[in-house]
């Protein structure tokens, strides 16, 4: 029996407990399995275990995997890593959702590609909630303007916000970043009702998703807890 079955079950139990504690329904929380650095074979095992949404952080790596596995009905691919505008066209082709839109320029490129492809792409706006240099996303102060701009971009459907807080040993320390994203979502939605679609909050990773769920996460992005430790070479 593949290990992922057990890991998936553990993650589901953690989600259930966190949702219960927060007084939320598990049905409000979507799990995206972050398969970056893991081979297509690992994704196949995950699909067999019942996972259906996969997240990658590099366009090229995702393309290899998607081609290797072929398009499977009901399986979604999400981009969660930084996207350069010169790869927007390829990304628009490959992905079912992009979590890492961080500028109007990128949104325009993506939208243009989607119009050519005749598709509407759900996207999230990545917000830089911390000062950390390595973290991507648009400055919180620029979000309002980008949201207003994206409303006019054909081919995209803005569905919410995403963030990656700094890494803390103690997941409780990530809480203020999650809470900041929720408050930003709420203030944007109250100003422009409907402009963030379902108002998704993509936040929470393997070690801190319980806290993110407590703060209102509707999409959690979980790699290590499902696939094991990543090996970089
Ligand atoms: C790698 C990655 C994740 C998953 O991280 P884990 O700690 O392995 O769960 C989530 N979100 C983004 C943006 C990532 O790059």
């Amino acid at each position: 029996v593949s290990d992922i079955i057990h890991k998936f079950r553990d993650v589901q139990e953690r989600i259930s407990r966190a949702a219960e504690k927060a007084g939320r329904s598990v049905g409000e929380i979507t799990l995206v399995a972050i398969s970056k650095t893991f081979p297509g074979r690992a994704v196949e095992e995950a699909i067999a275990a019942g996972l259906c949404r996969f997240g990658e952080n590099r366009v090229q790596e995702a393309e290899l995997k998607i081609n290797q596995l072929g398009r499977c009905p009901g399986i979604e691919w999400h981009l969660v890593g930084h996207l350069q505008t010169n790869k927007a066209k390829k990304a628009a082709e490959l992905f079912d959702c992009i979590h890492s839109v961080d500028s109007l320029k990128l949104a325009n490129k993506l939208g243009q590609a989607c119009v050519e492809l005749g598709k509407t792409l759900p996207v999230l706006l990545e917000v830089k909630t911390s000062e950390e240099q390595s973290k991507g996303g648009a400055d919180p102060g620029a979000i309002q303007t980008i949201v207003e701009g994206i409303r006019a971009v054909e081919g995209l459907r803005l569905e919410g916000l995403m963030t990656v807080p700094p890494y803390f040993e103690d997941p409780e320390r990530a809480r203020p970043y999650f809470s900041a994203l929720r408050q930003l979502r709420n203030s944007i939605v109250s100003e422009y009702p409907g402009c963030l679609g379902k108002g998704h909050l993509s936040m929470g990773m393997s070690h801190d998703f319980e806290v993110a769920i407590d703060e209102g996460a509707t999409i959690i992005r979980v790699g290590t807890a499902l696939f094991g430790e990543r090996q970089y070479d």
Side-chain angles (χ1 to χ4, degrees):
V1 182
S2 154
D3 203 27
I4 186 136
I5 295 175
H6 302 291
K7 292 204 166 89
F8 182 24
R9 196 177 303 150
D10 288 345
V11 168
Q12 282 176 310
E13 277 167 17
R14 284 175 60 191
I15 295 171
S16 300
R17 276 196 302 271
E20 195 176 345
K21 183 169 161 276
R24 303 179 58 202
S25 145
V26 287
E28 293 170 33
I29 298 145
T30 297
L31 172 63
V32 179
I34 307 298
S35 48
K36 66 186 183 200
T37 79
F38 289 95
R41 180 171 35 80
V43 175
E44 280 172 346
E45 287 177 1
I47 292 172
L51 283 152
C52 59
R53 289 180 196 82
F54 297 91
E56 292 283 334
N57 68 340
R58 292 210 178 111
V59 175
Q60 210 176 356
E61 184 185 338
E63 184 179 24
L64 278 170
K65 252 173 254 188
I66 294 168
N67 287 340
Q68 192 186 337
L69 295 172
R71 286 282 174 186
C72 316
I75 301 301
E76 288 180 14
W77 291 91
H78 293 224
L79 180 68
V80 301
H82 178 69
L83 177 61
Q84 291 166 291
T85 47
N86 63 0
K87 291 188 180 145
K89 195 162 184 246
K90 183 52 80 184
E93 245 172 68
L94 288 171
F95 294 100
D96 302 292
C97 179
I98 293 181
H99 294 225
S100 45
V101 173
D102 58 0
S103 71
L104 196 51
K105 184 179 168 208
L106 176 60
N108 279 317
K109 286 270 185 212
L110 280 170
Q112 203 182 337
C114 288
V115 168
E116 282 166 23
L117 292 163
K119 86 186 243 188
T120 301
L121 182 66
V123 298
L124 306 174
L125 198 49
E126 181 174 357
V127 184
K128 188 174 162 67
T129 47
S130 72
E131 299 297 314
E132 259 188 28
Q133 281 303 317
S134 63
K135 296 289 182 273
D139 284 327
I143 296 298
Q144 187 109 328
T145 316
I146 301 175
V147 168
E148 284 177 60
I150 291 185
R151 295 211 292 174
V153 178
E154 238 185 293
L156 300 186
R157 194 169 66 228
L158 184 58
E159 297 216 311
L161 305 177
M162 178 272 220
T163 200
V164 184
Y167 177 85
F168 298 107
E169 201 70 46
D170 174 8
E172 272 302 323
R173 291 186 60 198
R175 187 180 291 274
Y177 302 90
F178 297 143
S179 156
L181 196 71
R182 172 170 42 78
Q183 287 168 31
L184 183 60
R185 191 253 337 248
N186 293 351
S187 76
I188 290 169
V189 169
S190 71
E191 186 135 355
Y192 305 101
C195 70
L196 288 180
K198 301 185 184 96
H200 277 300
L201 294 173
S202 168
M203 57 189 197
M205 311 183 0
S206 290
H207 75 294
D208 60 11
F209 70 72
E210 283 97 339
V211 178
I213 287 172
D214 204 39
E215 290 296 332
T218 62
I219 302 174
I220 59 171
R221 309 176 309 264
V222 179
T224 312
L226 290 168
F227 293 104
E229 294 290 337
R230 283 180 293 275
Q231 233 109 89
Y232 291 97
D233 45 28

